[in-house]
mmCIF file of all heavy atoms in Angstrom:
data_model
loop_
_atom_site.group_PDB
_atom_site.id
_atom_site.type_symbol
_atom_site.label_atom_id
_atom_site.label_comp_id
_atom_site.label_asym_id
_atom_site.label_seq_id
_atom_site.Cartn_x
_atom_site.Cartn_y
_atom_site.Cartn_z
ATOM 1 N N ASP A 7 139.092 209.984 46.065
ATOM 2 C CA ASP A 7 137.982 210.325 45.174
ATOM 3 C C ASP A 7 138.064 209.533 43.873
ATOM 4 O O ASP A 7 137.044 209.113 43.312
ATOM 5 C CB ASP A 7 137.970 211.825 44.875
ATOM 6 C CG ASP A 7 137.659 212.659 46.099
ATOM 7 O OD1 ASP A 7 136.890 212.180 46.955
ATOM 8 O OD2 ASP A 7 138.183 213.773 46.206
ATOM 9 N N ILE A 8 139.280 209.343 43.374
ATOM 10 C CA ILE A 8 139.455 208.548 42.159
ATOM 11 C C ILE A 8 138.969 207.120 42.398
ATOM 12 O O ILE A 8 138.249 206.540 41.573
ATOM 13 C CB ILE A 8 140.937 208.550 41.718
ATOM 14 C CG1 ILE A 8 141.389 209.973 41.361
ATOM 15 C CG2 ILE A 8 141.148 207.613 40.530
ATOM 16 C CD1 ILE A 8 142.877 210.105 41.132
ATOM 17 N N ALA A 9 139.338 206.546 43.548
ATOM 18 C CA ALA A 9 138.910 205.190 43.886
ATOM 19 C C ALA A 9 137.391 205.111 44.009
ATOM 20 O O ALA A 9 136.766 204.145 43.556
ATOM 21 C CB ALA A 9 139.576 204.738 45.185
ATOM 22 N N ARG A 10 136.800 206.134 44.616
ATOM 23 C CA ARG A 10 135.336 206.134 44.795
ATOM 24 C C ARG A 10 134.612 206.190 43.455
ATOM 25 O O ARG A 10 133.675 205.423 43.213
ATOM 26 C CB ARG A 10 134.922 207.332 45.656
ATOM 27 C CG ARG A 10 133.405 207.523 45.773
ATOM 28 C CD ARG A 10 133.055 208.758 46.576
ATOM 29 N NE ARG A 10 133.707 209.951 46.072
ATOM 30 C CZ ARG A 10 133.276 210.636 45.005
ATOM 31 N NH1 ARG A 10 132.210 210.223 44.334
ATOM 32 N NH2 ARG A 10 133.919 211.731 44.610
ATOM 33 N N VAL A 11 135.035 207.074 42.557
ATOM 34 C CA VAL A 11 134.367 207.193 41.256
ATOM 35 C C VAL A 11 134.549 205.917 40.436
ATOM 36 O O VAL A 11 133.622 205.451 39.773
ATOM 37 C CB VAL A 11 134.893 208.424 40.490
ATOM 38 C CG1 VAL A 11 134.302 208.478 39.088
ATOM 39 C CG2 VAL A 11 134.556 209.701 41.249
ATOM 40 N N LEU A 12 135.739 205.346 40.497
ATOM 41 C CA LEU A 12 135.962 204.065 39.803
ATOM 42 C C LEU A 12 135.016 203.001 40.333
ATOM 43 O O LEU A 12 134.438 202.225 39.560
ATOM 44 C CB LEU A 12 137.414 203.618 39.973
ATOM 45 C CG LEU A 12 138.473 204.340 39.133
ATOM 46 C CD1 LEU A 12 139.869 203.992 39.626
ATOM 47 C CD2 LEU A 12 138.324 203.988 37.653
ATOM 48 N N ALA A 13 134.833 202.944 41.658
ATOM 49 C CA ALA A 13 133.967 201.930 42.259
ATOM 50 C C ALA A 13 132.510 202.120 41.857
ATOM 51 O O ALA A 13 131.742 201.151 41.839
ATOM 52 C CB ALA A 13 134.099 201.972 43.783
ATOM 53 N N GLU A 14 132.122 203.359 41.529
ATOM 54 C CA GLU A 14 130.749 203.631 41.126
ATOM 55 C C GLU A 14 130.473 203.259 39.676
ATOM 56 O O GLU A 14 129.321 203.301 39.234
ATOM 57 C CB GLU A 14 130.434 205.119 41.341
ATOM 58 C CG GLU A 14 130.380 205.520 42.808
ATOM 59 C CD GLU A 14 130.243 207.017 43.007
ATOM 60 O OE1 GLU A 14 130.464 207.765 42.025
ATOM 61 O OE2 GLU A 14 129.929 207.436 44.141
ATOM 62 N N CYS A 15 131.517 202.883 38.947
ATOM 63 C CA CYS A 15 131.377 202.500 37.536
ATOM 64 C C CYS A 15 131.535 200.986 37.400
ATOM 65 O O CYS A 15 132.295 200.363 38.139
ATOM 66 C CB CYS A 15 132.429 203.201 36.681
ATOM 67 S SG CYS A 15 132.258 204.997 36.659
ATOM 68 N N PRO A 16 130.864 200.392 36.428
ATOM 69 C CA PRO A 16 130.984 198.944 36.245
ATOM 70 C C PRO A 16 132.292 198.573 35.551
ATOM 71 O O PRO A 16 132.931 199.408 34.908
ATOM 72 C CB PRO A 16 129.782 198.623 35.357
ATOM 73 C CG PRO A 16 129.571 199.868 34.549
ATOM 74 C CD PRO A 16 129.902 200.999 35.481
ATOM 75 N N GLU A 17 132.700 197.346 35.710
ATOM 76 C CA GLU A 17 133.845 196.832 34.950
ATOM 77 C C GLU A 17 133.392 196.528 33.525
ATOM 78 O O GLU A 17 132.222 196.275 33.276
ATOM 79 C CB GLU A 17 134.383 195.561 35.604
ATOM 80 C CG GLU A 17 134.996 195.785 36.991
ATOM 81 C CD GLU A 17 135.716 194.552 37.491
ATOM 82 O OE1 GLU A 17 136.831 194.300 37.004
ATOM 83 O OE2 GLU A 17 135.141 193.838 38.325
ATOM 84 N N PRO A 18 134.407 196.544 32.608
ATOM 85 C CA PRO A 18 135.814 196.915 32.750
ATOM 86 C C PRO A 18 135.991 198.430 32.755
ATOM 87 O O PRO A 18 135.301 199.160 32.052
ATOM 88 C CB PRO A 18 136.466 196.290 31.514
ATOM 89 C CG PRO A 18 135.368 196.216 30.496
ATOM 90 C CD PRO A 18 134.094 195.998 31.260
ATOM 91 N N ARG A 19 136.923 198.887 33.595
ATOM 92 C CA ARG A 19 137.152 200.316 33.782
ATOM 93 C C ARG A 19 138.497 200.728 33.181
ATOM 94 O O ARG A 19 139.470 199.979 33.229
ATOM 95 C CB ARG A 19 137.166 200.665 35.270
ATOM 96 C CG ARG A 19 136.001 200.124 36.081
ATOM 97 C CD ARG A 19 136.189 200.444 37.548
ATOM 98 N NE ARG A 19 135.180 199.811 38.402
ATOM 99 C CZ ARG A 19 135.333 198.636 38.995
ATOM 100 N NH1 ARG A 19 136.474 197.963 38.832
ATOM 101 N NH2 ARG A 19 134.376 198.143 39.760
ATOM 102 N N VAL A 20 138.514 201.953 32.638
ATOM 103 C CA VAL A 20 139.742 202.524 32.078
ATOM 104 C C VAL A 20 139.986 203.861 32.750
ATOM 105 O O VAL A 20 139.079 204.696 32.835
ATOM 106 C CB VAL A 20 139.626 202.713 30.548
ATOM 107 C CG1 VAL A 20 140.879 203.384 30.001
ATOM 108 C CG2 VAL A 20 139.398 201.374 29.862
ATOM 109 N N LEU A 21 141.204 204.082 33.237
ATOM 110 C CA LEU A 21 141.550 205.333 33.900
ATOM 111 C C LEU A 21 142.371 206.202 32.954
ATOM 112 O O LEU A 21 143.419 205.785 32.459
ATOM 113 C CB LEU A 21 142.343 205.058 35.181
ATOM 114 C CG LEU A 21 142.731 206.289 36.011
ATOM 115 C CD1 LEU A 21 141.492 207.041 36.484
ATOM 116 C CD2 LEU A 21 143.593 205.881 37.203
ATOM 117 N N VAL A 22 141.879 207.408 32.700
ATOM 118 C CA VAL A 22 142.556 208.385 31.847
ATOM 119 C C VAL A 22 143.206 209.407 32.765
ATOM 120 O O VAL A 22 142.524 210.149 33.461
ATOM 121 C CB VAL A 22 141.549 209.070 30.898
ATOM 122 C CG1 VAL A 22 142.253 210.086 29.997
ATOM 123 C CG2 VAL A 22 140.820 208.035 30.051
ATOM 124 N N THR A 23 144.540 209.477 32.775
ATOM 125 C CA THR A 23 145.210 210.273 33.795
ATOM 126 C C THR A 23 146.515 210.858 33.262
ATOM 127 O O THR A 23 146.765 210.869 32.042
ATOM 128 C CB THR A 23 145.422 209.429 35.065
ATOM 129 O OG1 THR A 23 145.858 210.256 36.132
ATOM 130 C CG2 THR A 23 146.394 208.282 34.824
ATOM 131 N N THR A 24 147.365 211.336 34.176
ATOM 132 C CA THR A 24 148.631 211.977 33.830
ATOM 133 C C THR A 24 149.748 211.415 34.696
ATOM 134 O O THR A 24 149.482 210.787 35.731
ATOM 135 C CB THR A 24 148.555 213.499 34.069
ATOM 136 O OG1 THR A 24 148.473 213.744 35.486
ATOM 137 C CG2 THR A 24 147.341 214.107 33.379
ATOM 138 N N PRO A 25 151.022 211.642 34.326
ATOM 139 C CA PRO A 25 152.122 211.168 35.175
ATOM 140 C C PRO A 25 152.058 211.730 36.593
ATOM 141 O O PRO A 25 152.378 211.027 37.553
ATOM 142 C CB PRO A 25 153.371 211.666 34.430
ATOM 143 C CG PRO A 25 152.950 211.719 33.002
ATOM 144 C CD PRO A 25 151.514 212.168 33.034
ATOM 145 N N VAL A 26 151.650 212.993 36.742
ATOM 146 C CA VAL A 26 151.570 213.585 38.082
ATOM 147 C C VAL A 26 150.549 212.848 38.937
ATOM 148 O O VAL A 26 150.813 212.489 40.096
ATOM 149 C CB VAL A 26 151.209 215.084 37.989
ATOM 150 C CG1 VAL A 26 150.919 215.654 39.371
ATOM 151 C CG2 VAL A 26 152.342 215.853 37.332
ATOM 152 N N HIS A 27 149.357 212.599 38.387
ATOM 153 C CA HIS A 27 148.334 211.877 39.141
ATOM 154 C C HIS A 27 148.762 210.438 39.419
ATOM 155 O O HIS A 27 148.486 209.897 40.497
ATOM 156 C CB HIS A 27 147.013 211.884 38.374
ATOM 157 C CG HIS A 27 146.210 213.127 38.594
ATOM 158 N ND1 HIS A 27 145.972 214.038 37.589
ATOM 159 C CD2 HIS A 27 145.608 213.624 39.700
ATOM 160 C CE1 HIS A 27 145.245 215.031 38.071
ATOM 161 N NE2 HIS A 27 145.020 214.810 39.342
ATOM 162 N N LEU A 28 149.434 209.816 38.467
ATOM 163 C CA LEU A 28 149.906 208.446 38.684
ATOM 164 C C LEU A 28 150.851 208.387 39.875
ATOM 165 O O LEU A 28 150.740 207.499 40.731
ATOM 166 C CB LEU A 28 150.617 207.933 37.429
ATOM 167 C CG LEU A 28 149.754 207.355 36.314
ATOM 168 C CD1 LEU A 28 150.610 207.014 35.108
ATOM 169 C CD2 LEU A 28 149.004 206.114 36.794
ATOM 170 N N ARG A 29 151.769 209.337 39.924
ATOM 171 C CA ARG A 29 152.752 209.336 41.019
ATOM 172 C C ARG A 29 152.062 209.521 42.369
ATOM 173 O O ARG A 29 152.373 208.833 43.346
ATOM 174 C CB ARG A 29 153.774 210.452 40.776
ATOM 175 C CG ARG A 29 155.003 210.360 41.665
ATOM 176 C CD ARG A 29 156.037 211.409 41.315
ATOM 177 N NE ARG A 29 156.539 211.240 39.953
ATOM 178 C CZ ARG A 29 156.311 212.089 38.960
ATOM 179 N NH1 ARG A 29 155.577 213.162 39.162
ATOM 180 N NH2 ARG A 29 156.816 211.864 37.777
ATOM 181 N N VAL A 30 151.077 210.420 42.415
ATOM 182 C CA VAL A 30 150.349 210.662 43.669
ATOM 183 C C VAL A 30 149.564 209.421 44.081
ATOM 184 O O VAL A 30 149.528 209.054 45.259
ATOM 185 C CB VAL A 30 149.411 211.880 43.510
ATOM 186 C CG1 VAL A 30 148.488 212.006 44.720
ATOM 187 C CG2 VAL A 30 150.225 213.155 43.330
ATOM 188 N N MET A 31 148.923 208.759 43.120
ATOM 189 C CA MET A 31 148.149 207.556 43.437
ATOM 190 C C MET A 31 149.046 206.442 43.966
ATOM 191 O O MET A 31 148.691 205.746 44.923
ATOM 192 C CB MET A 31 147.376 207.089 42.196
ATOM 193 C CG MET A 31 146.146 207.935 41.879
ATOM 194 S SD MET A 31 145.150 207.259 40.517
ATOM 195 C CE MET A 31 146.142 207.752 39.101
ATOM 196 N N LEU A 32 150.213 206.268 43.366
ATOM 197 C CA LEU A 32 151.123 205.218 43.813
ATOM 198 C C LEU A 32 151.625 205.501 45.230
ATOM 199 O O LEU A 32 151.745 204.588 46.046
ATOM 200 C CB LEU A 32 152.302 205.105 42.842
ATOM 201 C CG LEU A 32 151.982 204.604 41.429
ATOM 202 C CD1 LEU A 32 153.239 204.576 40.571
ATOM 203 C CD2 LEU A 32 151.343 203.228 41.464
ATOM 204 N N GLU A 33 151.919 206.765 45.514
ATOM 205 C CA GLU A 33 152.437 207.111 46.833
ATOM 206 C C GLU A 33 151.366 207.026 47.914
ATOM 207 O O GLU A 33 151.671 206.812 49.080
ATOM 208 C CB GLU A 33 153.036 208.524 46.790
ATOM 209 C CG GLU A 33 154.313 208.607 45.968
ATOM 210 C CD GLU A 33 154.779 210.028 45.751
ATOM 211 O OE1 GLU A 33 154.019 210.959 46.129
ATOM 212 O OE2 GLU A 33 155.878 210.219 45.206
ATOM 213 N N SER A 34 150.091 207.161 47.506
ATOM 214 C CA SER A 34 149.006 207.129 48.489
ATOM 215 C C SER A 34 148.761 205.742 49.053
ATOM 216 O O SER A 34 148.249 205.593 50.165
ATOM 217 C CB SER A 34 147.716 207.635 47.841
ATOM 218 O OG SER A 34 147.171 206.662 46.956
ATOM 219 N N GLN A 35 149.079 204.708 48.275
ATOM 220 C CA GLN A 35 148.798 203.319 48.653
ATOM 221 C C GLN A 35 147.307 203.087 48.899
ATOM 222 O O GLN A 35 146.908 202.201 49.655
ATOM 223 C CB GLN A 35 149.616 202.922 49.886
ATOM 224 C CG GLN A 35 151.113 202.835 49.627
ATOM 225 C CD GLN A 35 151.478 201.803 48.581
ATOM 226 O OE1 GLN A 35 151.052 200.651 48.639
ATOM 227 N NE2 GLN A 35 152.256 202.204 47.584
ATOM 228 N N GLN A 36 146.494 203.913 48.241
ATOM 229 C CA GLN A 36 145.042 203.750 48.292
ATOM 230 C C GLN A 36 144.660 202.439 47.605
ATOM 231 O O GLN A 36 145.301 202.021 46.640
ATOM 232 C CB GLN A 36 144.385 204.939 47.569
ATOM 233 C CG GLN A 36 142.891 204.832 47.343
ATOM 234 C CD GLN A 36 142.107 205.142 48.597
ATOM 235 O OE1 GLN A 36 142.451 206.032 49.345
ATOM 236 N NE2 GLN A 36 141.040 204.400 48.817
ATOM 237 N N ASN A 37 143.613 201.784 48.093
ATOM 238 C CA ASN A 37 143.089 200.599 47.407
ATOM 239 C C ASN A 37 142.172 201.056 46.284
ATOM 240 O O ASN A 37 141.203 201.782 46.525
ATOM 241 C CB ASN A 37 142.314 199.710 48.381
ATOM 242 C CG ASN A 37 143.239 199.018 49.369
ATOM 243 O OD1 ASN A 37 144.345 198.617 49.005
ATOM 244 N ND2 ASN A 37 142.800 198.897 50.610
ATOM 245 N N PHE A 38 142.475 200.633 45.059
ATOM 246 C CA PHE A 38 141.699 201.028 43.896
ATOM 247 C C PHE A 38 140.961 199.826 43.322
ATOM 248 O O PHE A 38 141.474 198.691 43.353
ATOM 249 C CB PHE A 38 142.602 201.620 42.810
ATOM 250 C CG PHE A 38 143.193 202.951 43.168
ATOM 251 C CD1 PHE A 38 144.428 203.027 43.808
ATOM 252 C CD2 PHE A 38 142.523 204.125 42.885
ATOM 253 C CE1 PHE A 38 144.981 204.246 44.153
ATOM 254 C CE2 PHE A 38 143.063 205.352 43.228
ATOM 255 C CZ PHE A 38 144.290 205.416 43.861
ATOM 256 N N PRO A 39 139.767 200.040 42.785
ATOM 257 C CA PRO A 39 139.061 198.955 42.085
ATOM 258 C C PRO A 39 139.872 198.468 40.887
ATOM 259 O O PRO A 39 140.761 199.173 40.387
ATOM 260 C CB PRO A 39 137.756 199.613 41.631
ATOM 261 C CG PRO A 39 137.575 200.774 42.536
ATOM 262 C CD PRO A 39 138.960 201.266 42.841
ATOM 263 N N ARG A 40 139.558 197.298 40.422
ATOM 264 C CA ARG A 40 140.298 196.680 39.323
ATOM 265 C C ARG A 40 140.133 197.483 38.036
ATOM 266 O O ARG A 40 139.042 197.954 37.699
ATOM 267 C CB ARG A 40 139.807 195.251 39.115
ATOM 268 C CG ARG A 40 140.596 194.467 38.071
ATOM 269 C CD ARG A 40 140.319 192.998 38.184
ATOM 270 N NE ARG A 40 138.882 192.716 38.108
ATOM 271 C CZ ARG A 40 138.368 191.502 38.277
ATOM 272 N NH1 ARG A 40 139.167 190.479 38.545
ATOM 273 N NH2 ARG A 40 137.065 191.315 38.184
ATOM 274 N N LEU A 41 141.243 197.646 37.298
ATOM 275 C CA LEU A 41 141.240 198.370 36.030
ATOM 276 C C LEU A 41 141.539 197.420 34.880
ATOM 277 O O LEU A 41 142.257 196.424 35.041
ATOM 278 C CB LEU A 41 142.290 199.481 36.032
ATOM 279 C CG LEU A 41 142.129 200.619 37.045
ATOM 280 C CD1 LEU A 41 143.285 201.600 36.906
ATOM 281 C CD2 LEU A 41 140.805 201.328 36.839
ATOM 282 N N ALA A 42 140.990 197.766 33.710
ATOM 283 C CA ALA A 42 141.309 197.024 32.496
ATOM 284 C C ALA A 42 142.496 197.649 31.767
ATOM 285 O O ALA A 42 143.243 196.954 31.072
ATOM 286 C CB ALA A 42 140.099 196.985 31.571
ATOM 287 N N ALA A 43 142.663 198.975 31.920
ATOM 288 C CA ALA A 43 143.757 199.684 31.246
ATOM 289 C C ALA A 43 143.900 201.076 31.832
ATOM 290 O O ALA A 43 142.992 201.595 32.492
ATOM 291 C CB ALA A 43 143.501 199.760 29.742
ATOM 292 N N LEU A 44 145.068 201.676 31.598
ATOM 293 C CA LEU A 44 145.317 203.067 31.964
ATOM 294 C C LEU A 44 145.824 203.806 30.738
ATOM 295 O O LEU A 44 146.494 203.219 29.879
ATOM 296 C CB LEU A 44 146.372 203.190 33.061
ATOM 297 C CG LEU A 44 146.125 202.545 34.410
ATOM 298 C CD1 LEU A 44 146.887 201.229 34.518
ATOM 299 C CD2 LEU A 44 146.573 203.482 35.532
#
């Protein structure tokens, strides 16, 4: 869902998140759209 919402937004994109969500995203190996910053 994070990847989908990011893809629906134009670049440059910034992701506002937490350590818990970061760990889950890294473990998922999901393909995410390009980010400018976190």
Side-chain angles (χ1 to χ4, degrees):
D7 293 328
I8 297 171
R10 173 183 53 79
V11 175
L12 284 168
E14 292 173 346
C15 296
E17 294 190 76
R19 311 176 187 93
V20 177
L21 182 61
V22 180
T23 190
T24 69
V26 172
H27 276 113
L28 277 175
R29 193 175 298 112
V30 171
M31 284 186 283
L32 293 179
E33 291 171 353
S34 74
Q35 292 299 310
Q36 171 78 39
N37 289 323
F38 291 91
R40 185 164 55 185
L41 297 179
L44 299 101

